[in-house]
Amino acid sequence: TLRIMVNNQLYGEYSLKEDQTIRIGQTNICEIKDGAVRMVKADCPDHLCMKSEAVTGEGGTIVCLPNRVILEGISSNSQAPDTVAS
């Protein structure tokens, strides 16, 4: 699963099994392809997020700091961060 956060708010969660392009507000565009996601467009000055490695369901994070966008790969086997294991 791909979790997108913008300004510390959940923007959406998307399956990595379906190839698609996602517009994130007016600033960023990410692309899910073959189970991995990359940032393909950003209006930030340095484009570090576009140079980051692709994120998969195994984990990983892409951050566009100027636009406060976070792409996070979430394993379907992982627990939510606020869940306590019994």
Side-chain angles (χ1 to χ4, degrees):
T1 302
L2 167 65
R3 179 180 296 152
I4 301 175
M5 303 289 290
V6 179
N7 291 324
N8 246 3
Q9 303 271 332
L10 180 64
Y11 185 83
E13 291 187 345
Y14 304 85
S15 171
L16 291 173
K17 296 177 183 176
E18 180 183 337
D19 289 357
Q20 59 184 307
T21 301
I22 303 164
R23 180 175 291 279
I24 306 166
Q26 300 296 315
T27 59
N28 297 68
I29 298 175
C30 68
E31 179 182 61
I32 299 171
K33 186 172 184 181
D34 299 326
V37 63
R38 291 187 163 283
M39 192 74 75
V40 294
K41 183 175 185 294
D43 69 359
C44 56
D46 57 14
H47 296 124
L48 290 177
C49 56
M50 294 172 58
K51 298 171 187 170
S52 297
E53 280 189 44
V55 170
T56 67
E58 299 297 315
T61 305
I62 297 173
V63 177
C64 182
L65 203 53
N67 294 329
R68 300 189 60 168
V69 174
I70 300 172
L71 309 180
E72 184 179 13
I74 306 294
S75 170
S76 58
N77 296 331
S78 69
Q79 296 181 354
D82 57 351
T83 301
V84 178
S86 48

